[in-house]
Amino acid sequence: MADTGIATLDFGALPGSNEASVTFADAAVTGASKAEAFFMAGDTTTDHTASDHQYAGLFIALSVDVTNGVGGTIYGRSADKMSGTFKVRWVWTD
């Protein structure tokens, strides 16, 4: 079984932050599930363009921690302070 979704990662208003996280809900996720998060090149938010999303992966590293029966948390980290919101896509499978 696999599922996908979209979440919004918020680094906050200027000056922003080096870290942000967002949770997603999916009760079918198990402790053995494998999950990943990624930026999609056509996505936009009120803060960032499709071009920003296309290159966000060069500046922001993403990781995912799953929680059995709940869903997971997507973490975004950057060496530089980022600001505003980015859409992130997630996918998981057993």
Side-chain angles (χ1 to χ4, degrees):
M1 175 171 197
D3 205 355
T4 63
I6 302 173
T8 302
L9 197 59
D10 189 352
F11 286 91
L14 284 172
S17 178
N18 296 80
E19 298 184 6
S21 65
V22 61
T23 59
F24 64 90
D26 193 324
V29 169
T30 71
S33 297
K34 307 294 186 247
E36 66 179 307
F38 56 95
F39 297 102
M40 184 68 86
D43 285 342
T44 63
T45 63
T46 56
D47 300 316
H48 292 284
T49 66
S51 182
D52 292 342
H53 280 78
Q54 182 176 356
Y55 296 105
L58 294 172
F59 305 102
I60 304 168
L62 299 174
S63 60
V64 183
D65 185 30
V66 296
T67 304
N68 187 34
V70 176
T73 302
I74 300 168
Y75 298 95
R77 293 180 181 87
S78 176
D80 299 310
K81 286 192 176 185
M82 305 301 291
S83 64
T85 58
F86 289 88
K87 281 186 186 173
V88 290
R89 308 275 181 134
W90 54 267
V91 60
W92 70 266
T93 189
D94 283 328

